[in-house]
Amino acid sequence: MAQENLSAVLHSQGDLRLCHCPFLGSYHDPEVLLQMHSVGICGSDVHYWQHGRIGDFVLTKPMVLGHEASGRVVKVGSAVKHLKVGDRVAIEPGVPREMDEYFKSGRYNLSPTIFFCATPPDDGNLCRYYTHSANFCYKLPDNVTFEEGALIEPLSVGIHSCRRAGVTLGSTVFICGAGPIGLVCMLVAKAMGASQVIITDLFPERLKMAKELGADFQVTVKRGDEPQQLAKTVGDMLGAPPQITIECTGVESSIQSAIYATRSGGVVVLVGLGSEMASVPLVNAAVREVDIRGTFRYCNTWPMAIAMLASGKVNVKPLVTHRFPLEQVVQAFETTRQGLGIKVMLKCDQNDQNP
């Protein structure tokens, strides 16, 4: 029997509306039908709302937003064996469409044809009900909340970034930017054994959160700060230049600071996305054998993230600073756009607004 599925639909640049989309309750093997519970708002969601595009991904038709999500299984395809009705799951939003070379090598995030929630032309899951590949839904342990399940998506960015950086026991790490992604990178770096983590940001309230979550040093930066001077400050506070820098802002001057700050033979990982072209001290990095590595989303991170949360090695609960029911989606997006708090969470289940 058909029913209405309340969804947060971006119709065009700046035009975000709640719509009652037709919903037939259909699903196909090997998929599951989910009743959505908690969906976090990501900076990319806001960017699509404000600009209608991110790089080559351009909004050309209405699209449901949302990709940081968890929910409850309400129907399963006949081929699905690892999930049952009632299971609470976290959703990995990127699902490979074909078994190409990237899939076979375990780097499916790089597949050019991958389905990804809320990336044009693919719909996201900021709605009441949503269908997803069962293979990319992960059962949550009883001691992991729906909100923690939704936060596995940004936590996965931190895991993938720290893996790319080679964070290990005793690493010293410099993180540029203390927004949600910088904070999860810090949490993961500490969990992976980093001995010292220093983090920078423009906003003292974000650095206060970073300190509460375990950052060893915090540096408030100002627009116009000299990159080489900031690099020296970082080295002085740590006692030596950091072995690893994780750049989470995408700002040109911050990328410059990241390269200057990293010790010779170290690694810079670029996580934040800014302008397509950036002026950086490439020769400085080259002659000091500083490796510069990119990241794109994540792969094979959900099991590790769930284990980290269930064991208590990582605590992401303090990241959620604002909660809104799905009906207040525009207010929630405006809160994120204004940079208020850290993570805004939307509650999609009318009968269960708990974390």
Side-chain angles (χ1 to χ4, degrees):
M1 179 178 174
Q3 66 186 82
E4 294 297 309
N5 184 24
L6 193 65
S7 306
V9 180
L10 182 62
H11 288 262
S12 59
Q13 180 180 342
D15 184 11
L16 172 61
R17 285 179 261 158
L18 274 178
C19 297
H20 288 278
C21 301
F23 172 67
L24 302 176
S26 63
Y27 58 101
H28 310 281
D29 281 332
E31 293 180 332
V32 290
L33 177 64
L34 305 171
Q35 181 176 13
M36 300 306 298
H37 187 283
S38 296
V39 181
I41 298 178
C42 175
S44 65
D45 292 316
V46 174
H47 200 278
Y48 279 121
W49 174 41
Q50 293 291 295
H51 303 283
R53 67 181 298 159
I54 295 178
D56 294 333
F57 297 105
V58 182
L59 186 73
T60 58
K61 65 180 180 65
M63 176 181 77
V64 180
L65 291 171
H67 63 269
E68 303 179 2
S70 62
R72 190 185 303 275
V73 177
V74 293
K75 288 185 181 180
V76 296
S78 59
V80 177
K81 304 302 181 187
H82 70 290
L83 295 173
K84 64 183 185 302
V85 172
D87 282 347
R88 301 159 57 253
V89 297
I91 301 165
E92 180 172 359
V95 180
R97 283 188 166 98
E98 56 185 309
M99 197 178 294
D100 57 15
E101 61 180 299
Y102 301 104
F103 183 99
K104 292 175 182 177
S105 65
R107 302 182 73 180
Y108 56 86
N109 58 309
L110 301 179
S111 173
T113 60
I114 193 169
F115 167 92
F116 198 89
C117 291
T119 296
D122 301 326
D123 284 323
N125 44 37
L126 186 46
C127 48
R128 293 270 192 245
Y129 293 93
Y130 172 71
T131 301
H132 199 67
S133 168
N135 290 324
F136 288 81
C137 294
Y138 301 82
K139 186 175 178 179
L140 293 172
D142 291 342
N143 66 333
V144 177
T145 68
F146 278 115
E147 286 189 356
E148 289 176 293
L151 288 167
I152 288 174
E153 197 278 343
L155 184 60
S156 286
V157 176
I159 292 171
H160 188 62
S161 301
C162 287
R163 281 177 175 170
R164 291 279 292 155
V167 176
T168 188
L169 287 170
S171 297
T172 55
V173 181
F174 170 30
I175 295 174
C176 304
I181 296 302
L183 292 174
V184 292
C185 286
M186 187 270 296
L187 287 169
V188 174
K190 294 293 275 187
M192 286 183 170
S195 59
Q196 290 184 307
V197 177
I198 183 168
I199 190 165
T200 59
D201 203 274
L202 290 165
F203 303 105
E205 59 271 21
R206 288 185 168 184
L207 293 175
K208 181 174 181 289
M209 173 71 80
K211 182 177 182 179
E212 292 169 357
L213 292 174
D216 299 285
F217 303 97
Q218 310 83 41
V219 180
T220 304
V221 296
K222 298 187 296 295
R223 298 185 194 281
D225 279 356
E226 174 59 44
Q228 286 174 296
Q229 183 56 49
L230 176 57
K232 182 178 184 304
T233 299
V234 168
D236 289 345
M237 293 182 77
L238 288 172
Q243 297 161 326
I244 291 165
T245 300
I246 303 176
E247 207 298 305
C248 300
T249 73
V251 175
E252 183 178 86
S253 60
S254 188
I255 299 170
Q256 294 169 0
S257 295
I259 292 171
Y260 286 131
T262 305
R263 78 175 58 177
S264 298
V267 176
V268 173
V269 171
L270 303 178
V271 183
L273 298 176
S275 301
E276 184 177 359
M277 301 296 289
S279 176
V280 298
L282 203 56
V283 173
N284 177 282
V287 299
R288 297 192 303 111
E289 297 191 4
V290 172
D291 292 351
I292 301 173
R293 299 176 186 170
T295 58
F296 186 65
R297 297 172 181 159
Y298 33 65
C299 57
N300 306 303
T301 53
W302 257 251
M304 177 185 282
I306 290 171
M308 282 179 156
L309 294 172
S311 65
K313 296 292 185 187
V314 166
N315 179 20
V316 295
K317 290 179 181 178
L319 297 177
V320 181
T321 53
H322 294 75
R323 295 174 177 87
F324 294 88
L326 178 58
E327 291 81 356
Q328 296 177 18
V329 64
V330 176
Q331 184 181 345
F333 266 71
E334 186 60 32
T335 299
T336 303
R337 187 191 69 80
Q338 293 177 16
L340 303 176
I342 300 294
K343 178 60 66 176
V344 175
M345 194 68 65
L346 280 152
K347 315 303 288 187
C348 300
D349 186 344
Q350 288 174 295
N351 300 315
D352 183 4
Q353 300 282 301
N354 295 314

